[in-house]
Amino acid sequence: MEKYTKESMRQAICDKLRLNFGCTEEEATEANMLKACAMVLRDRMNAQYVDSRQKVRKKQLRRVHYMSMEFLMGRSLMKNAYNLGVLEPMKAAIEDMGFKPARIFDMEPDAGLGNGGLGRLAACYLDSLTTLEIPARGYSICYELGIFKQKIVDGQQIELPDNWLDQGDAWLVPKPEDVEEVHFGGTLREFWDGDHLHIINEGYTRVLAVPCDMTIAGYETSHTNSLRLWDAKSPTPIDMGLFNQGEYVKAGEEKAMSEAIAKVLYPEDNHYEGKSLRLRQQYFFVSATVQSIVRKHIQNYGTVTNFHEKNVIQINDTHPALVIPELMRILMDDAGISWDEAWHITVNSVAYTNHTVLAEALERWPQQLMQTLLPRIWQIICEIARRWQAKATDFYRGDESKIKNMAVIWDGEVRMANLCIAGGMAVNGVSALHSDILRNDVFKDACRMEPEKFKNVTNGIDHRRWLAEINPGLDSLICELTGGTDYLRHPGTALPKLDKFAGDKQVLARLGEIKHANKLAFAKFAKKEQGFILNTDAIFDVQVKRLHEYKRQLLNVMQIINLYLQLRDNPNMDLHPHTFLFGAKAAPGYAVAKRIIRLINSLADQINSDPICKDKLQVFFLENYRVSMAEVLMPASEVSQQISTAGKEASGTGNMKFMMNGALTIGTLDGANVEMHQVLGDENMFLFGLKTEEVKEMRDTGYNPYRLYSRDATLHRVLDQISQGFKDGIRYDDLVERLLFGSGSPADEYMLLADYPSYCDAERRMMATYRDSVKWNQMSLHNIARSGIFAADRSIADYADTIWHVPYKK
Ligand code: 26W
């Protein structure tokens, strides 16, 4: 296809304005412009998509189906223009037409169909799957409301609905011809026909699944994939019988019930709640997806017997775990094959990625709910559970505790992780440490029985978005120093070339200038969004991620209070100006997390208004942290806080974004920080705290946070200050109580007090290093140079090699 020039792009946008909005470029609003630009790119991508699909069909390639309840896509206009290689002509055309490109890009709402790490990972992977020319499709739900918008009112989080489809539907193409029907409830009837047992589900409720597709462009390729988002519709607009009896509200109930399924994304991150609507969402999504995959497969091959050779279904955590019984159901009940054949196909098609070891995040669905909502699925799960248990009993010669650990159904609950282990071909963790914990701890018994299933694929991020696109200054420097744009496709070999400039003062100075310019840009953004005046000469020290106790935002707060109290004691203290930035959404029902947000705001209020802190210390809580904010913040950050209790953060991906943009990490040996440390060494990051084993040992031998509190005077003072609160008069005794004595949970469950002294020490080392700007920039350069292993292209190549066994573009 011909590449757009400024002129042809302008023409294409004008045509769209005329044809779709009935306006000229003079009359067009910024919103019109955004949609017209999106449509121009969408047309091009759709044309490429038709060709890609044909190629894949002709070559009969194995397809990857990436199923995730979340895809945190963020914005697409700049990303698609970038990947299609038309960002420059598009910007020029927009400008030519009398608009500001940045303002048009800023109009686009984030597609916030996810909570945090897991959802953003899925989005990054779509980019790499496409760039590596793997035939793939993502599947999820077309939530009407994405992750809530966070407002801070009087220091507290308020949640507002995120109606993203109002503006953000420009990328979606409805495909009513691919509709699927999903069944809930009803009863089962069994009958024999010769030697074949038929099972019929009767009296069920129908819900229609209508796909809305988003086309995905790759970088430097015409290969195109898509993300299929299922919308839920009722097959009957209204019950005319009830309507005619004057039961108007009741007449619309079934429709409302169906459509509730795709209404809203559950905002809990790392916390399971057994809500029936959530199970409906999961089955709706799973059933529609599996039906559509099997239908396409039969269209192409006329049989299901080679299904597993031509398809692989990767499931993002256990949320889509029902694919296993659902695929079994379709193969047996619809395609009419035997249990054994169906099982062979299923276990060779499905692979499961685990993203968390927190007990409260593991899904366990009550038998009762499963049985009434999904009677046939329940039956199949029972049979899977029975056979798996027989295998375990045989292997472990009846060892009760092992059989219990591995059980798919136990104590009236279906354990989704065990279902995935039993019914999948692979189980992978998302960092080396995390995969080891799965093998040696969480899934130890299953791993001993089937060790070959357990794999590791360390997470990665889309470095074209998270570096090249959002940090053009750094991108040009990298291109200049590494000799071109090779790093965009081969970061693992190209970026290390930067290492040899560590002694080049000029290069280091330029790195510093780029960072400073990005800090100014972020300061401008923060001023516009929230009215904050950031000190751009200060260290930008950042912790952004979901709010969770295990991520230990509170530990960061403790360290800041310590610094503040020192400054109060000695206003002349020699302190390089320091600006602490927080951004985090708390799950609406997570009271402790919400208290921590409020505490950060109380502290910010105190510090920012205390004259002693002027030009020295600042604290800000950034409202509504989201993908598009991260895109301005990452390039501007200097310190990356990755301070979770060792063993708790499966991988982290924010840590990788910071590293790639040259921030230095203060972190524990947790998740992917471990692999970061392997490439950087002690000298290029600030490591602190207990290691995974030490955390366990300390727990087992009786951890006593109160003793630490009584013996460490500065710690004592910090916690007392938190109890007492700040000038707004709000006390936080509850948080301190929780640390010292626990409340329904163990005292200081995440061992903040144990790590506090070593954390403060790491902060001191970091601040001392910052004074030596040459040294700092050297370290920053090494971080960028060695961040190539964290590119999503590498992760996807690993999946392709070790789990999917599919070829890809090298
Ligand atoms: C059922 C409730 C629920 C919802 C979301 C449970 C668990 C989740 C996710 C698995 C939580 C999550 O996003 N985990 C994060 O996944 C990232 C991508 O692999 C990792 O980098 C993070 O360490 C992990 O916390």
Side-chain angles (χ1 to χ4, degrees):
M1 245 172 281
E2 220 174 296
K3 271 257 153 93
Y4 276 114
T5 59
K6 179 177 86 175
E7 288 70 29
S8 61
M9 177 63 83
R10 181 173 173 161
Q11 190 58 53
I13 298 171
C14 279
D15 290 348
K16 284 287 170 211
L17 287 172
R18 256 171 211 284
L19 293 171
N20 291 278
F21 305 99
C23 65
T24 63
E25 53 189 288
E26 288 80 25
E27 294 161 338
T29 62
E30 287 179 332
N32 294 149
M33 277 296 286
L34 167 65
K35 286 211 172 167
C37 290
M39 285 169 154
V40 169
L41 300 189
R42 199 182 73 184
D43 285 356
R44 173 139 296 199
M45 296 192 298
N46 285 343
Q48 290 184 357
Y49 186 52
V50 173
D51 298 341
S52 295
R53 257 201 341 241
Q54 262 169 355
K55 225 185 265 170
V56 172
R57 198 171 305 146
K58 222 166 93 205
K59 290 195 182 161
Q60 306 208 327
L61 298 171
R62 191 180 202 195
R63 293 165 205 244
V64 175
H65 307 278
Y66 196 90
M67 294 186 67
S68 177
M69 290 282 282
E70 307 186 11
F71 277 87
L72 197 45
M73 300 297 283
R75 291 174 174 160
S76 293
L77 183 59
M78 195 192 282
K79 173 75 203 172
N80 286 335
Y82 183 90
N83 273 1
L84 293 168
V86 299
L87 183 55
E88 288 317 313
M90 174 164 272
K91 279 190 190 159
I94 294 172
E95 196 128 23
D96 228 33
M97 295 167 79
F99 292 88
K100 284 217 163 72
R103 285 186 60 104
I104 305 297
F105 292 132
D106 269 347
M107 294 282 301
E108 185 176 1
D110 282 37
L113 308 184
N115 276 287
L118 162 122
R120 183 55 231 174
L121 186 77
C124 286
Y125 282 1
L126 284 182
D127 183 88
S128 289
L129 281 162
T130 314
T131 300
L132 299 197
E133 300 185 351
I134 294 173
R137 182 177 257 176
Y139 299 84
S140 194
I141 293 175
C142 192
Y143 302 104
E144 190 179 318
L145 305 173
I147 185 69
F148 63 85
K149 284 194 180 134
Q150 179 192 54
K151 278 251 159 245
I152 300 298
V153 178
D154 297 330
Q156 286 171 285
Q157 168 176 298
I158 304 287
E159 301 90 21
L160 298 176
D162 165 43
N163 224 314
W164 73 289
L165 284 169
D166 278 358
Q167 284 288 320
D169 66 346
W171 302 107
L172 296 176
V173 184
K175 295 277 170 70
E177 66 279 12
D178 285 352
V179 67
E180 298 289 350
E181 190 175 302
V182 179
H183 298 170
F184 291 98
T187 50
L188 299 179
R189 187 163 62 83
E190 309 189 352
F191 67 89
W192 287 93
D193 157 23
D195 56 359
H196 192 89
L197 175 65
H198 289 265
I199 296 172
I200 310 276
N201 186 194
E202 295 170 323
Y204 49 76
T205 307
R206 299 153 63 209
V207 178
L208 297 183
V210 184
C212 273
D213 289 0
M214 192 186 279
T215 310
I216 309 292
Y219 175 72
E220 269 187 353
T221 172
S222 61
H223 180 77
T224 312
N225 286 318
S226 69
L227 169 60
R228 172 153 282 194
L229 301 174
W230 297 101
D231 190 13
K233 288 269 174 260
S234 164
T236 41
I238 196 156
D239 184 325
M240 277 319 285
L242 286 170
F243 187 83
N244 291 336
Q245 291 164 31
E247 300 264 21
Y248 305 120
V249 175
K250 252 209 179 124
E253 247 168 32
E254 192 175 286
K255 181 171 151 72
M257 289 272 277
S258 306
E259 290 171 8
I261 292 179
K263 212 17 126 206
V264 59
L265 165 83
Y266 273 90
E268 278 82 33
D269 183 85
N270 266 306
H271 188 82
Y272 163 75
E273 264 179 284
K275 292 270 164 49
S276 106
L277 180 59
R278 168 88 175 177
L279 184 60
R280 268 174 231 261
Q281 287 188 333
Q282 294 186 349
Y283 183 67
F284 165 79
F285 157 56
V286 159
S287 180
T289 303
V290 181
Q291 288 186 64
S292 121
I293 298 172
V294 174
R295 188 183 310 287
K296 285 261 151 62
H297 180 84
I298 295 176
Q299 266 169 24
N300 288 336
Y301 298 96
T303 172
V304 292
T305 51
N306 64 342
F307 181 87
H308 54 294
E309 289 159 16
K310 297 297 172 188
N311 297 281
V312 51
I313 301 174
Q314 186 70 44
I315 61 175
N316 209 14
D317 216 275
T318 57
H319 317 155
L322 292 173
V323 286
I324 291 163
E326 177 67 1
L327 183 55
M328 289 295 287
R329 181 188 73 76
I330 292 172
L331 292 174
M332 295 189 300
D333 299 0
D334 298 350
I337 65 174
S338 70
W339 177 282
D340 289 334
E341 283 175 288
W343 185 248
H344 177 75
I345 292 172
T346 302
V347 284
N348 286 293
S349 301
V350 179
Y352 154 57
T353 306
N354 172 287
H355 296 266
T356 179
V357 298
L358 298 190
E360 68 267 30
L362 298 182
E363 293 190 292
R364 297 166 283 115
W365 289 104
Q367 160 177 349
Q368 200 55 76
L369 185 59
M370 199 64 99
Q371 206 167 355
T372 39
L373 196 63
L374 311 168
R376 178 61 178 139
I377 292 299
W378 164 249
Q379 221 177 33
I380 295 171
I381 292 174
C382 287
E383 184 58 16
I384 294 174
R386 194 184 64 75
R387 291 175 184 236
W388 179 249
Q389 177 146 336
K391 199 170 174 185
T393 306
D394 194 36
F395 185 82
Y396 284 115
R397 299 167 191 283
D399 182 334
E400 276 290 333
S401 85
K402 298 207 161 49
I403 293 161
K404 176 183 161 191
N405 284 339
M406 291 169 65
V408 173
I409 302 174
W410 195 265
D411 240 2
E413 289 179 326
V414 184
R415 298 188 189 153
M416 305 313 269
N418 286 349
L419 174 62
C420 292
I421 298 169
M425 58 174 169
V427 180
N428 77 283
V430 290
S431 71
L433 174 70
H434 170 58
S435 296
D436 281 343
I437 293 174
L438 294 184
R439 278 188 279 247
N440 303 325
D441 186 358
V442 186
F443 302 139
K444 180 169 150 213
D445 298 328
C447 182
R448 257 186 60 200
M449 188 166 93
E450 305 202 322
E452 65 293 337
K453 272 192 188 174
F454 287 77
K455 320 244 156 130
N456 172 248
V457 179
T458 298
N459 281 168
I461 58 172
D462 170 5
H463 73 297
R464 289 170 289 271
R465 178 187 285 259
W466 291 108
L467 198 175
E469 182 193 322
I470 64 170
N471 196 344
L474 184 55
D475 171 64
S476 337
L477 183 65
I478 294 172
C479 291
E480 187 187 317
L481 299 178
T482 62
T485 57
D486 187 36
Y487 94 93
L488 294 169
R489 282 285 286 114
H490 303 106
T493 49
L495 288 177
K497 294 183 195 165
L498 293 173
D499 266 337
K500 63 171 180 284
F501 295 94
D504 186 329
K505 288 255 166 71
Q506 230 185 331
V507 164
L508 298 176
R510 279 175 68 196
L511 201 56
E513 284 156 21
I514 291 165
K515 185 60 80 181
H516 193 72
N518 293 334
K519 287 168 73 177
L520 293 175
F522 183 76
K524 195 170 154 199
F525 171 90
K527 167 118 194 287
K528 187 175 121 227
E529 291 255 312
Q530 273 179 274
F532 292 157
I533 309 291
L534 271 57
N535 178 2
T536 49
D537 292 325
I539 310 178
F540 277 17
D541 186 329
V542 186
Q543 188 172 21
V544 285
K545 48 184 78 251
R546 283 297 289 250
L547 212 135
H548 202 292
E549 285 165 284
Y550 86 82
K551 294 178 187 280
R552 303 202 291 192
Q553 280 94 351
L554 188 52
L555 181 59
N556 193 353
V557 166
M558 286 163 61
Q559 169 266 136
I560 298 169
I561 293 174
N562 180 43
L563 204 58
Y564 174 55
L565 293 176
Q566 284 175 17
L567 192 63
R568 289 280 294 259
D569 290 345
N570 174 14
N572 297 320
M573 172 179 151
D574 184 20
L575 179 72
H576 189 92
H578 208 135
T579 295
F580 292 96
L581 299 169
F582 289 89
K585 287 179 183 174
Y590 190 174
V592 177
K594 287 185 149 179
R595 288 288 288 162
I596 295 172
I597 290 182
R598 197 168 193 193
L599 168 63
I600 297 170
N601 281 304
S602 291
L603 175 65
D605 188 32
Q606 170 85 27
I607 287 184
N608 299 342
S609 64
D610 187 335
I612 285 179
C613 298
K614 189 167 181 301
D615 297 329
K616 289 194 175 146
L617 212 54
Q618 293 185 312
V619 178
F620 295 108
F621 187 89
L622 303 165
E623 185 176 82
N624 201 32
Y625 177 62
R626 59 196 183 281
V627 173
S628 59
M629 184 191 287
E631 289 174 348
V632 201
L633 181 57
M634 292 296 165
S637 298
E638 296 176 288
V639 176
S640 159
Q641 297 278 347
Q642 309 300 337
I643 60 176
S644 52
T645 316
K648 299 292 180 195
E649 188 70 271
S651 163
T653 43
N655 47 358
M656 303 171 185
K657 293 164 197 165
F658 281 107
M659 180 192 190
M660 252 180 210
N661 283 281
L664 305 190
T665 302
I666 294 197
T668 47
L669 275 176
D670 198 15
N673 297 353
V674 175
E675 286 147 272
M676 202 175 270
H677 176 245
Q678 275 166 7
V679 293
L680 290 175
D682 285 339
E683 63 282 15
N684 288 304
M685 65 191 290
F686 304 97
L687 227 46
F688 75 94
L690 298 171
K691 307 190 181 39
T692 308
E693 285 310 312
E694 295 168 337
V695 167
K696 257 211 234 98
E697 197 180 291
M698 198 177 269
R699 267 271 160 250
D700 294 346
T701 53
Y703 173 53
N704 187 346
Y706 191 84
R707 198 166 59 213
L708 299 176
Y709 165 76
S710 359
R711 291 184 184 174
D712 180 332
T714 71
L715 180 56
H716 198 294
R717 198 169 166 215
V718 166
L719 291 184
D720 288 356
Q721 184 70 61
I722 293 177
S723 282
Q724 186 191 317
F726 300 94
K727 64 171 197 177
D728 61 12
I730 304 159
R731 299 183 59 94
Y732 294 92
D733 319 70
D734 53 333
L735 292 178
V736 175
E737 289 266 308
R738 203 169 161 81
L739 292 178
L740 297 182
F741 311 108
S743 50
S745 57
D748 190 13
E749 186 169 6
Y750 296 106
M751 305 199 154
L752 282 69
L753 275 60
D755 276 345
Y756 174 79
S758 124
Y759 181 47
C760 289
D761 183 61
E763 283 284 330
R764 273 191 291 272
R765 281 184 279 137
M766 179 272 288
M767 291 191 246
T769 309
Y770 195 82
R771 289 169 187 276
D772 181 348
S773 68
V774 170
K775 174 91 190 102
W776 186 274
N777 288 329
Q778 250 168 13
M779 289 170 71
S780 171
L781 186 79
H782 289 312
N783 271 261
I784 301 163
R786 300 171 197 184
S787 66
I789 53 162
F790 296 123
D793 290 356
R794 190 271 312 144
S795 309
I796 290 299
D798 285 354
Y799 275 103
D801 288 333
T802 64
I803 298 177
W804 305 333
H805 306 293
V806 298
Y808 55 90
K809 182 170 157 195
K810 299 270 160 41

